[in-house]
Amino acid sequence: MAALPPRRFAGLHLSDGISPGNLVASMIMAFAATMIITFLPAAQPLLLLGVLDGQGADQGRVVALLAAAAEIAMILSLPWYGALADRFGRRPVVVTGFALCGLSTLLFPYAGNVTMLVALRVVFALGVAALNGMLATVAIDYVRDRSRGKSYGLIGLFSGLGAMVAVLGLVRLPAIIERNLGGDGGRAATVDAARYSFLIVAVIILAVAVLMWVTISRIRVDAASARIPLVRLVREGFALARDPGVALSYAASFVARADLSIVAAFLPLWVVVHGVREGGLSPVEAVARGGAVVGVAQTVATLGAPLFGWLGDRLRRQDAVLVAQALAAVAYLSTLLVDDPLGSGMMAVAALIGLGEIAAIVSAGPLLAQQVPPAVRASAYGVQTLCGAVGILVISTVGGTLFSSWRPAAPFAVAGVAGLLVVAFGLVVRRRVVPRPQQEQGETSAVRPAVP
């Protein structure tokens, strides 16, 4: 019997057994996951200033403690999430990620001390780790090799939209609710507004968890992975780095995820510090200007995601990574030319940074999918996401130290240099990257439903 032609939806060639509904679910997953991941850091000052009553001069210490606890939790859990997804299927890991994020979000405003806040932040980080690893894995699972760049581009688009909804909508919920509650506007009103706001967000995320249980595909990418021990799957994820293409993808993720982090952390900080100290702006005005600069970068990144996804399907995967890393390096190093972050030149640099940021993120995943066996695909993406978490920790730490001791553009310069090192490594191994022979490069190789 002649084989049926592959199904298509939204211009993508779907893998065997994947429906348009499954693909739409992956886009909803990207939107909701990025929305909640963006919401918490943006709303964190409310927890410190309102719920915990400021913690006095210890706010900096508390923020650093929360960030360190979250990164450690992610680094320790990411490889295991990948192995669990290969062993038991993607759906349980996705649902667990949303459930952990939703429950911790619900409880955050009730944290009466720093210890409880750190514990909840760790639970939230465990949920984020599950979602980060599965976003890339599901985007690859659901489409054939010829569409994987475009699939990543759509994931980037919906992720960007989720971040914009969080920043422009959800973060404003506490202020709106506090106004409607009336009262004297004191700490009690702030606490109530925070609790109602976090309750609304938590209910949304838990509803998404239920939706994912219904809509995420139950098809196994490879039935053999159900019989592989978890420890072996974790080891295999690291051992795959012996392949030049996998090593290049891991290295690219190390830099790309850090790029995303420093944009969110240091770009507005640079504008705010300069605006208050030298620009004559009030803190509120400086924060608004910093938000506008970040908004330009993220808007360009959101709109550029489909473009770079489309381009990635027309280049060799390793060449797409090299182009993306080179663009990102130039973008981040261009910050060294900025003398006045309040000027129009900063907006142009922010737009270039947005392009480089999304190009680097979109290009690394398809290369990894091309190089790894389906049976350990999620394990490989768990290690790739782990590399990104380590990159955030290293580049943010070094860049943050140089931000104060050298110049505000230092974190971006560090990221730019790291990107150039990845380009150099890529040029060395470029001709040694041989795509792994697969049926349509990683299509679903078994269509047996996974056990929920």
Side-chain angles (χ1 to χ4, degrees):
M1 180 183 295
L4 294 175
R7 300 183 70 178
R8 296 188 63 180
F9 180 74
L12 304 178
H13 293 80
L14 304 184
S15 294
D16 296 338
I18 299 300
S19 70
N22 298 143
L23 187 65
V24 170
S26 72
M27 303 307 164
I28 295 173
M29 173 186 166
F31 177 90
T34 310
M35 183 181 71
I36 184 61
I37 291 169
T38 305
F39 168 75
L40 182 68
Q44 187 168 275
L46 177 66
L47 297 175
L48 296 178
L49 294 173
V51 177
L52 294 182
D53 200 19
Q55 293 294 325
D58 290 338
Q59 287 185 52
R61 180 186 65 83
V62 173
V63 171
L65 181 62
L66 291 173
E71 286 301 316
I72 291 172
M74 290 186 65
I75 288 171
L76 293 178
S77 64
L78 277 165
W80 294 99
Y81 275 130
L84 286 167
D86 280 330
R87 186 77 162 75
F88 299 106
R90 312 328 189 197
R91 189 174 61 145
V93 178
V94 171
V95 173
T96 298
F98 278 116
L100 290 175
C101 287
L103 290 173
S104 54
T105 299
L106 178 65
L107 296 174
F108 268 124
Y110 296 93
N113 53 62
V114 173
T115 301
M116 181 60 66
L117 194 61
V118 171
L120 290 173
R121 189 68 178 87
V122 168
V123 174
F124 185 85
L126 293 174
V128 170
L131 295 176
N132 276 341
M134 290 304 97
L135 273 175
T137 307
V138 170
I140 292 300
D141 284 347
Y142 284 5
V143 298
R144 297 169 185 258
D145 182 66
R146 72 187 81 168
S147 295
R148 283 176 176 160
K150 289 190 286 291
S151 176
Y152 251 71
L154 283 176
I155 289 293
L157 172 63
F158 279 87
S159 294
L161 292 174
M164 292 174 68
V165 167
V167 173
L168 300 178
L170 297 183
V171 172
R172 297 182 180 181
L173 274 177
I176 295 172
I177 293 174
E178 188 172 17
R179 284 197 300 269
N180 291 331
L181 287 175
D184 58 3
R187 180 171 180 267
T190 301
V191 171
D192 288 341
R195 287 175 176 173
Y196 283 124
S197 301
F198 277 66
L199 171 63
I200 291 171
V201 176
V203 168
I204 293 172
I205 295 305
L206 291 173
V208 172
V210 175
L211 179 64
M212 292 297 103
W213 183 259
V214 175
T215 56
I216 288 290
S217 173
R218 298 174 63 188
I219 290 176
R220 282 209 186 280
V221 172
D222 194 304
S225 60
R227 298 186 295 272
I228 303 176
L230 285 177
V231 174
R232 179 181 165 191
L233 286 168
V234 172
R235 286 202 307 263
E236 188 65 23
F238 287 99
L240 287 167
R242 291 191 293 258
D243 179 278
V246 174
L248 177 57
S249 178
Y250 286 175
S253 181
F254 178 94
V255 177
R257 296 294 173 182
D259 288 354
L260 182 63
S261 176
I262 67 168
V263 168
F266 292 106
L267 199 58
L269 181 62
W270 183 4
V271 175
V272 170
V273 170
H274 181 88
V276 172
R277 292 180 180 175
E278 302 179 37
L281 300 180
S282 69
V284 173
E285 292 171 332
V287 168
R289 185 69 65 88
V293 173
V294 175
V296 168
Q298 297 305 330
T299 299
V300 172
T302 300
L303 297 176
L307 171 63
F308 284 103
W310 173 84
L311 182 63
D313 283 335
R314 280 154 179 77
L315 297 175
R316 291 195 302 176
R317 302 298 189 197
Q318 63 268 36
D319 292 341
V321 169
L322 291 176
V323 170
Q325 290 291 327
L327 174 60
V330 170
Y332 285 90
L333 290 172
S334 70
T335 58
L336 295 172
L337 304 177
V338 176
D339 295 322
D340 180 12
L342 300 177
S344 58
M346 186 61 165
M347 291 298 186
V349 169
L352 186 59
I353 284 175
L355 283 177
E357 168 195 322
I358 199 63
I361 291 173
V362 167
S363 62
L367 172 61
L368 183 61
Q370 172 185 277
Q371 301 300 123
V372 301
V376 292
R377 181 180 294 158
S379 299
Y381 277 99
V383 174
Q384 186 198 49
T385 311
L386 168 65
C387 291
V390 174
I392 291 172
L393 193 62
V394 172
I395 295 179
S396 294
T397 300
V398 175
T401 301
L402 294 177
F403 181 94
S404 301
S405 63
W406 179 37
R407 58 191 296 180
F412 305 94
V414 172
V417 171
L420 291 179
L421 293 175
V422 173
V423 171
F425 174 65
L427 290 173
V428 171
V429 302
R430 174 172 170 267
R431 296 186 181 278
R432 293 166 48 200
V433 176
V434 179
R436 183 182 182 276
Q438 297 174 20
Q439 179 190 358
E440 247 290 314
Q441 288 297 342
E443 296 169 31
T444 301
S445 59
V447 293
R448 181 175 62 83
V451 176

